[in-house]
Amino acid sequence: MANNRLRVTPLGGAGEVGRNMWVIEYDEEIILLDCGVMFPEAEMLGIDLVLPDITYLRDQQHKIKALLLTHGHEDHIGSTPHLIADLGFPPIYGTPLTIGMVSNKLKEHRLLDKVTLNRFQAGDTFTIGEHFTIEPFHVAHSIPDTVGFGVTTPAGLAVYLTDWKFDHTPVDGRPTDIAKITELGHRNPLVLITDCVRVESRGYTPSEATIGEAFDNIYATAPGRIIIATFASNISRVQQAIDSAEAYGRKVVLAGRSMENNSRIALDLGYLRAQPGTLVRPNEAGSYPDDQIAVVCTGSQGEPMAALARMANKDYTHVKIKQGDTVVVSATPIPGNEVSVSRVINNLFRLGAEVIYGSHAGVHVSGHAAQEELKMLLGMLRPEFVVPFHGDYRHLMLYRKMALGMGTMYKDEQVLVAENGSIMEFSRGFGKIVSKAPVGYVYVDGTTVGDVGNVVVRDRQMLARDGILMVVVGIDRATGGLVVGPDVVSRGFVYMRQSDDLIDATKEVVRNTLGGTNGQFNGDTEVDTNFVNRKIKDAVSEFLYARTKRRPMIIPVVMET
Amino acid sequence: MANNRLRVTPLGGAGEVGRNMWVIEYDEEIILLDCGVMFPEAEMLGIDLVLPDITYLRDQQHKIKALLLTHGHEDHIGSTPHLIADLGFPPIYGTPLTIGMVSNKLKEHRLLDKVTLNRFQAGDTFTIGEHFTIEPFHVAHSIPDTVGFGVTTPAGLAVYLTDWKFDHTPVDGRPTDIAKITELGHRNPLVLITDCVRVESRGYTPSEATIGEAFDNIYATAPGRIIIATFASNISRVQQAIDSAEAYGRKVVLAGRSMENNSRIALDLGYLRAQPGTLVRPNEAGSYPDDQIAVVCTGSQGEPMAALARMANKDYTHVKIKQGDTVVVSATPIPGNEVSVSRVINNLFRLGAEVIYGSHAGVHVSGHAAQEELKMLLGMLRPEFVVPFHGDYRHLMLYRKMALGMGTMYKDEQVLVAENGSIMEFSRGFGKIVSKAPVGYVYVDGTTVGDVGNVVVRDRQMLARDGILMVVVGIDRATGGLVVGPDVVSRGFVYMRQSDDLIDATKEVVRNTLGGTNGQFNGDTEVDTNFVNRKIKDAVSEFLYARTKRRPMIIPVVMET
């Protein structure tokens, strides 16, 4: 590593490049930007969360001077309690709302007394370590108090923007700080690191203000209760639901654990505002007429245990869906969730609700910049190098194509297409991927981190496809002859009670196999259990495939007696 | 059942209502419309196909006079070889291309000599049994030779349209037969049964002709090979790829087994046209310059074993993706496939290809009617009752809302929102759901139908979530004392090699449990294996949940010695 260069590395998590965590290095100092979780992909069976792989930072904890957080969404703060110990408990920096949300998480994990929390305001300037001057600036997103960072180092100025858009009429009245961005642009930035996830969407992302209008229309005409599902962390959307409720004389119920938690923090810190008496508890909802109630709840992604799915399944105590209810799905399905969202909507219709959803309904806008905004940002900053991130590989490629399409401003090598773990170095006239940090998936399953790895997930995939079949035999230690069994137990392969013939035939295959090997164990050699194991596995596997064209996992259990 | 009424019933398959099969009854006669498969939903782990549940037809085979097919797509003909025997081998009717495709399937299943195949042309009129007069009419769809049916019975005229749109410039030059539809409209139809899957899409579905223009643009500018992925059954799209190739001097390779099969049938029957020499074999592709080759392949849904995914994984012998290749994904991901399609696109970009995909690229249009077309059809036919189908429950509800929005034409009770298995009866002035046929999922897994049911799939879901842990013990028949083991084997739960402590502790729990039960088996009572089983299961399950917050399936295997 050349010591006079700025070094930046996105660390994994699943899927989108660099969405969850960035490592910024200069000389012997490191700062980390964000520490989020990814939600597991469909084939990561049984996994609850995916953390960034911080192997690259192992043995470098002493260099880590700070963890800087941009905003309070799960994919940017959610790994903090899981990883902060392994990172050596660096001090955490964020705006008041972000710190409020991360401290709530640290408290739940009993880690609050182990870390220093530093609150800053957009517009502040502060230094970290010897080499970093940090200038957070406000950006509009779907949660208040979101920032980007100017990071000045001896190698030059890096500008970091994740989860932003140019919303000129945001819910909290604080648009993206264009003045600050253009000012940074006048300082000849070395590198821009920017979110590009909506590069496929042409034009500009509509303002959050359009949602307020759509909500007002719904509140003005809905005959009964209004139930709005959105992300629990979409504080701006919750504010809009409350604003419309106050304008149209409704009480608001916040439903779902994470909705209640996040809203409580935002209310306490003044980022969510409600008049006294607007908010009522779920169990109080029944005492108001239906047309005076609005419910804001979790479950917009069809999550089976969240409030909306439970309502759709008639499993939510305080809200039983009925004719006259209007349900608003104020979110877009994240890829992979389309089917579960669709199922929830179908069930809500079945229960008699009117459901307002989908891209034409005008009840959701993205929190991310679309193509013209991405170009506008490039025009404002004109950095020497650009690293697009927070997207799949295809988004990064399209971003490069987009940048190269902007006249003569950029050449191919100025737009770096990185993957998780790509270590990039920058100095004037130099910007390259120089090496690769190891990155894999770190799974959280239940309470534990890391004990479920790829082997376990692959086994689950195999079990999910064709199930498992166990063959239990007791064999004579000396002769290898069958003395107990064979017993056959299977799950997820065939319905055992209706498959006596197949099970009996399988036992016969095992008997024949052991009879065949019998001779090999006579005399003075001892039985080799592994060998017997392998013989049973092969014979049964082959037999079952021929009969069913399926390949259940075969587990022989050979007990010597 | 009132004998003077027409009775119609959609039979399952998963998901969309009535997509795969309809039962039309009058008096003691039945005709079946279509016999298709559904592809399994994500949580139907390991399932290959889902068939309609024909329990309702059991013991009624003698009444079934015909199976009428509308077109050659899998979701309309694919169950025929699996179900035709259980249906009592009724004669099959279809247009020449449809019969060509279904006879190919029957041949593969060695059933061709068991059934009578009857070819008709759109515009024919024929009778079936005592009561049914059938008038097939041409509709535009993404495969040639698609028809709707007029079905005249003593109770009145039913009009059945699935998979249709008003494309005035289709690839094969045969637009939807509007003259026939309006003529049926003048006969005062009793009921219209119509596809409504695109009711969420406003306006009109664009013509297939727009794809031809988009392909021409790509062929005119692509520097190297062109690789177009689409549905193997989208014969019209394959035709367009061939037409453009011939216009721009390229040879065409058809890649993927189902692409080759379907194209071969369509070529033989004259529904797909190519000049002599245009089509070349995959292994000949290498002998032409890149800019003289177009590959038309399967895999547009990201299916891992199809040609496109294999190309993306560098696992397809005859086409190695490289810089200069242009890949066109000429399809929209079916809900549930978004992530796998996205992964294939990312990998193609990684290999250096230019990839053209997505709704803005203009390389795919739906084969189904959008909202204004659905209204136009209603205006043309003015049936007394309407049954929307081929959609989720929400589509049916939106269709009803749409119909009610067309001035005073329809009242609520004239638009029937059915579910799979809803038995409806119609006569002048009468149209209602009168009862419910049993419908469930019939799974095909491997070679067998029906031996994998809900129990097996639920087990797979459980195995997929937290894996399995087997405890094997040998106990003394008389005392219940532990004489062999405990052995613990697990898959998909924890990585066993790194979890010695947990496994040892689990064994200890088993030992303590059996020690605890020891007393109960003393004296003259025999050991109750089920009881020991249950004790082990409860103790281990509780222990592991407390330690890991996971619930693997626990399988105790208790051997008495």
Side-chain angles (χ1 to χ4, degrees):
Chain A
M1 172 180 179
N3 275 349
N4 59 345
R5 290 200 191 128
L6 178 69
R7 194 181 231 208
V8 304
T9 309
L11 291 184
E16 296 180 359
V17 176
R19 177 168 169 183
N20 307 126
M21 191 180 212
W22 282 79
V23 182
I24 312 283
E25 295 173 75
Y26 185 84
D27 196 17
E28 292 293 303
E29 293 185 335
I30 290 175
I31 58 173
L32 305 175
L33 304 182
D34 284 341
C35 189
V37 290
M38 274 297 286
F39 300 99
E41 296 174 7
E43 71 275 20
M44 297 177 183
L45 297 171
I47 300 298
D48 298 318
L49 297 172
V50 185
L51 308 182
D53 182 346
I54 56 169
T55 306
Y56 176 64
L57 296 169
R58 195 179 291 156
D59 306 325
Q60 298 202 80
Q61 283 93 335
H62 60 286
K63 296 186 187 172
I64 302 173
K65 301 301 169 199
L67 167 59
L68 301 171
L69 303 174
T70 56
H71 65 294
H73 280 165
E74 281 299 309
D75 56 332
H76 294 267
I77 66 167
S79 287
T80 310
H82 302 289
L83 296 180
I84 197 75
D86 286 338
L87 295 172
F89 294 108
I92 300 174
Y93 292 74
T95 55
L97 180 60
T98 308
I99 291 294
M101 296 182 84
V102 80
S103 66
N104 190 54
K105 285 182 183 300
L106 292 166
K107 200 168 157 189
E108 279 178 10
H109 285 75
R110 295 159 201 265
L111 289 165
L112 199 50
D113 56 339
K114 298 269 178 57
V115 288
T116 314
L117 299 172
N118 301 288
R119 287 170 187 77
F120 60 72
Q121 298 287 347
D124 289 353
T125 300
F126 54 93
T127 59
I128 289 182
E130 301 275 315
H131 298 308
F132 299 104
T133 302
I134 312 295
E135 294 167 86
F137 55 91
H138 187 76
V139 297
H141 187 47
S142 50
I143 183 170
D145 235 13
T146 301
V147 295
F149 292 112
V151 180
T152 303
T153 68
L157 168 64
V159 181
Y160 179 84
L161 280 117
T162 183
D163 295 46
W164 65 278
K165 60 177 175 176
F166 285 126
D167 189 340
H168 303 295
T169 52
V171 177
D172 64 356
R174 298 178 70 193
T176 292
D177 189 350
I178 295 173
K180 181 67 186 183
I181 292 173
T182 52
E183 192 260 316
L184 292 170
H186 289 298
R187 286 196 248 154
N188 196 14
L190 177 62
V191 56
L192 164 66
I193 306 169
T194 178
D195 176 350
C196 72
V197 70
R198 289 198 82 226
V199 67
E200 291 173 334
S201 299
R202 295 177 184 183
Y204 292 82
T205 300
S207 170
E208 298 284 331
T210 62
I211 307 301
E213 291 163 26
F215 278 9
D216 279 351
N217 285 336
I218 293 166
Y219 277 73
T221 56
R225 293 180 300 187
I226 296 171
I227 295 144
I228 297 177
T230 191
F231 291 103
S233 59
N234 196 331
I235 302 292
S236 306
R237 203 58 52 81
V238 177
Q239 182 69 61
Q240 290 175 303
I242 292 174
D243 290 347
S244 293
E246 291 175 344
Y248 288 88
R250 287 180 186 250
K251 302 291 176 187
V252 175
V253 175
L254 300 172
R257 201 177 73 93
S258 56
M259 181 64 73
E260 292 176 58
N261 284 348
N262 286 338
S263 299
R264 177 53 49 204
I265 296 167
L267 280 164
D268 288 348
L269 295 172
Y271 290 93
L272 187 61
R273 295 168 307 281
Q275 292 165 13
T278 295
L279 298 176
V280 300
R281 297 187 175 285
N283 58 7
E284 295 170 320
S287 53
Y288 295 90
D290 286 347
D291 63 358
Q292 290 176 25
I293 285 290
V295 178
V296 183
C297 67
T298 54
S300 63
Q301 293 300 311
E303 308 95 316
M305 297 312 293
L308 191 67
R310 290 176 57 199
M311 290 177 201
N313 287 328
K314 302 200 249 186
D315 180 37
Y316 195 78
T317 313
H318 301 298
V319 184
K320 303 286 182 201
I321 299 291
K322 60 188 178 192
Q323 192 105 24
D325 287 342
T326 302
V327 178
V328 181
V329 183
S330 182
T332 298
I334 292 168
N337 292 348
E338 292 83 356
V339 174
S340 46
V341 173
S342 168
R343 191 169 303 161
V344 167
I345 292 171
N346 288 333
N347 285 334
L348 291 167
F349 270 120
R350 281 197 181 90
L351 295 174
E354 170 72 13
V355 190
I356 300 172
Y357 66 95
S359 56
H360 285 300
V363 293
H364 180 67
V365 294
S366 169
H368 295 261
Q371 210 180 88
E372 291 306 310
E373 292 164 273
L374 295 172
K375 291 179 196 163
M376 183 67 82
L377 182 72
L378 270 184
M380 286 176 179
L381 282 171
R382 289 153 293 127
E384 188 172 343
F385 298 98
V386 194
V387 183
F389 78 103
H390 202 315
D392 283 347
Y393 195 84
R394 69 173 195 273
H395 297 113
L396 277 45
M397 292 299 288
L398 292 175
Y399 184 96
R400 167 136 78 185
K401 198 171 170 184
M402 178 202 84
L404 300 186
M406 292 171 69
T408 56
M409 221 163 100
Y410 285 97
K411 287 198 284 289
D412 206 65
E413 61 272 21
Q414 288 175 282
V415 184
L416 281 77
V417 173
E419 303 240 29
N420 283 322
S422 292
I423 301 171
M424 291 164 272
E425 289 188 0
F426 298 94
S427 59
R428 285 294 153 209
F430 184 93
K432 282 198 170 63
I433 297 172
V434 297
S435 73
K436 181 90 171 90
V439 278
Y441 295 133
V442 179
Y443 298 132
V444 180
D445 184 6
T447 46
T448 54
V449 178
D451 66 332
V452 170
N454 289 333
V455 174
V456 172
V457 170
R458 267 201 303 274
D459 279 351
R460 288 181 185 171
Q461 290 165 353
M462 198 169 165
L463 292 167
R465 200 156 46 232
D466 286 325
I468 189 166
L469 186 133
M470 291 147 279
V471 177
V472 185
V473 294
I475 58 172
D476 186 290
R477 197 182 304 268
T479 68
L482 185 67
V483 288
V484 185
D487 261 16
V488 169
V489 182
S490 108
R491 291 289 186 279
F493 167 52
V494 290
Y495 189 44
M496 286 200 54
R497 294 188 188 185
Q498 292 170 359
S499 306
D500 287 346
D501 291 355
L502 188 66
I503 300 301
D504 287 345
T506 305
K507 288 180 183 173
E508 192 57 33
V509 168
V510 176
R511 268 185 222 107
N512 293 339
T513 305
L514 292 178
T517 62
N518 209 1
Q520 307 193 39
F521 307 117
N522 286 342
D524 46 19
T525 56
E526 272 205 9
V527 175
D528 178 348
T529 317
N530 283 337
F531 178 73
V532 177
N533 221 303
R534 167 59 54 190
K535 288 283 280 188
I536 293 175
K537 199 165 177 168
D538 289 350
V540 172
S541 191
E542 191 183 329
F543 167 73
L544 292 176
Y545 185 74
R547 280 280 285 265
T548 65
K549 288 281 178 294
R550 288 178 229 157
R551 296 200 180 281
M553 190 183 274
I554 311 290
I555 308 285
V557 181
V558 179
M559 310 194 76
E560 298 175 28
T561 54
Chain B
M1 173 178 178
N3 275 348
N4 58 345
R5 291 201 189 126
L6 177 69
R7 197 182 230 206
V8 305
T9 310
L11 292 183
E16 295 181 0
V17 176
R19 178 168 170 182
N20 306 127
M21 191 180 214
W22 282 78
V23 182
I24 312 284
E25 295 174 76
Y26 185 84
D27 195 16
E28 291 293 303
E29 294 185 337
I30 291 174
I31 58 173
L32 304 175
L33 303 183
D34 286 340
C35 189
V37 291
M38 274 296 288
F39 299 100
E41 297 174 7
E43 71 275 18
M44 296 177 185
L45 298 170
I47 299 299
D48 297 320
L49 297 172
V50 184
L51 309 182
D53 181 347
I54 56 169
T55 306
Y56 176 64
L57 297 168
R58 195 178 291 154
D59 308 324
Q60 300 202 77
Q61 283 94 336
H62 60 285
K63 297 186 188 171
I64 302 172
K65 302 301 167 198
L67 166 60
L68 302 172
L69 302 175
T70 56
H71 66 293
H73 281 165
E74 281 300 310
D75 55 334
H76 294 266
I77 66 167
S79 287
T80 310
H82 302 288
L83 296 181
I84 198 75
D86 287 335
L87 294 172
F89 294 109
I92 300 175
Y93 292 76
T95 55
L97 179 59
T98 308
I99 292 293
M101 295 182 85
V102 80
S103 66
N104 192 54
K105 285 181 182 298
L106 292 165
K107 198 168 160 190
E108 279 178 10
H109 285 76
R110 297 161 200 265
L111 290 166
L112 200 49
D113 55 340
K114 298 269 177 57
V115 287
T116 315
L117 298 173
N118 300 288
R119 287 170 188 76
F120 60 72
Q121 297 287 347
D124 289 353
T125 300
F126 53 94
T127 59
I128 289 183
E130 301 276 315
H131 299 306
F132 299 104
T133 303
I134 312 295
E135 294 167 86
F137 54 92
H138 186 76
V139 296
H141 186 47
S142 50
I143 183 170
D145 235 12
T146 301
V147 294
F149 292 114
V151 180
T152 302
T153 69
L157 168 64
V159 181
Y160 179 85
L161 281 118
T162 184
D163 296 45
W164 64 278
K165 60 177 174 176
F166 286 125
D167 189 339
H168 303 295
T169 52
V171 177
D172 65 357
R174 297 179 72 195
T176 293
D177 190 349
I178 294 172
K180 182 68 186 180
I181 291 173
T182 51
E183 192 259 315
L184 292 171
H186 289 299
R187 287 198 249 155
N188 195 14
L190 178 61
V191 55
L192 163 66
I193 306 168
T194 177
D195 175 350
C196 72
V197 69
R198 288 198 84 226
V199 67
E200 291 173 333
S201 299
R202 294 176 185 186
Y204 293 83
T205 299
S207 170
E208 298 286 331
T210 61
I211 307 300
E213 292 163 26
F215 279 9
D216 278 353
N217 284 338
I218 293 166
Y219 277 74
T221 55
R225 294 180 301 188
I226 294 171
I227 295 144
I228 297 177
T230 192
F231 291 102
S233 59
N234 195 332
I235 302 292
S236 305
R237 203 60 52 79
V238 177
Q239 183 68 62
Q240 290 176 305
I242 292 173
D243 290 347
S244 293
E246 291 176 344
Y248 288 88
R250 288 179 184 250
K251 303 290 180 189
V252 174
V253 176
L254 300 173
R257 201 176 73 93
S258 55
M259 180 66 74
E260 292 176 58
N261 284 348
N262 286 338
S263 300
R264 176 52 51 206
I265 296 167
L267 280 163
D268 288 348
L269 296 172
Y271 290 93
L272 187 63
R273 298 168 306 280
Q275 292 164 14
T278 296
L279 298 176
V280 300
R281 295 186 177 284
N283 58 7
E284 296 171 320
S287 54
Y288 295 90
D290 286 346
D291 63 358
Q292 290 175 26
I293 283 290
V295 179
V296 183
C297 67
T298 54
S300 62
Q301 293 300 312
E303 309 94 314
M305 297 312 292
L308 191 67
R310 291 175 56 198
M311 290 178 199
N313 287 328
K314 302 199 249 188
D315 179 36
Y316 196 80
T317 313
H318 301 298
V319 183
K320 303 284 181 203
I321 299 292
K322 60 189 179 191
Q323 193 105 25
D325 287 342
T326 301
V327 178
V328 180
V329 184
S330 182
T332 299
I334 292 169
N337 292 347
E338 293 83 355
V339 174
S340 47
V341 172
S342 167
R343 191 170 302 160
V344 167
I345 292 171
N346 288 332
N347 285 333
L348 291 166
F349 270 120
R350 280 197 181 89
L351 295 174
E354 169 71 11
V355 190
I356 299 171
Y357 67 95
S359 56
H360 285 300
V363 293
H364 180 66
V365 294
S366 170
H368 295 261
Q371 209 180 90
E372 291 306 310
E373 291 164 275
L374 295 173
K375 290 180 197 165
M376 183 69 82
L377 182 72
L378 269 184
M380 286 175 177
L381 282 170
R382 290 153 293 129
E384 188 173 342
F385 297 97
V386 193
V387 183
F389 78 103
H390 203 317
D392 284 346
Y393 195 84
R394 69 172 195 275
H395 297 112
L396 278 44
M397 292 299 288
L398 291 175
Y399 184 94
R400 168 138 76 183
K401 198 172 170 182
M402 179 202 83
L404 299 187
M406 292 172 71
T408 56
M409 223 164 102
Y410 285 98
K411 287 196 285 290
D412 206 65
E413 60 272 20
Q414 289 175 282
V415 184
L416 282 77
V417 172
E419 302 241 30
N420 283 322
S422 293
I423 301 173
M424 290 164 273
E425 289 187 1
F426 298 94
S427 59
R428 284 294 153 211
F430 184 93
K432 282 196 170 63
I433 298 174
V434 296
S435 71
K436 181 89 171 89
V439 280
Y441 295 133
V442 179
Y443 298 132
V444 180
D445 183 8
T447 46
T448 55
V449 178
D451 67 331
V452 171
N454 289 334
V455 174
V456 172
V457 170
R458 266 200 304 274
D459 278 351
R460 287 181 185 171
Q461 289 165 353
M462 198 169 164
L463 291 167
R465 199 157 45 232
D466 286 324
I468 191 169
L469 185 133
M470 290 147 280
V471 178
V472 184
V473 294
I475 56 173
D476 185 288
R477 195 183 305 268
T479 67
L482 185 68
V483 290
V484 186
D487 260 17
V488 169
V489 182
S490 108
R491 289 291 185 278
F493 168 53
V494 292
Y495 190 44
M496 286 201 51
R497 293 188 189 185
Q498 291 170 1
S499 307
D500 288 345
D501 292 352
L502 187 67
I503 301 300
D504 288 345
T506 304
K507 287 181 182 171
E508 191 56 32
V509 168
V510 175
R511 267 186 222 107
N512 292 340
T513 305
L514 292 177
T517 63
N518 210 0
Q520 308 193 37
F521 307 119
N522 285 343
D524 44 20
T525 56
E526 271 206 8
V527 175
D528 178 348
T529 317
N530 283 336
F531 178 73
V532 176
N533 222 301
R534 169 57 56 188
K535 287 284 279 187
I536 293 174
K537 199 164 178 171
D538 289 349
V540 171
S541 191
E542 190 184 332
F543 168 73
L544 292 175
Y545 185 75
R547 280 280 286 262
T548 65
K549 288 282 177 295
R550 285 178 231 157
R551 295 199 179 283
M553 192 183 272
I554 310 291
I555 307 285
V557 180
V558 179
M559 311 193 77
E560 296 176 31
T561 55

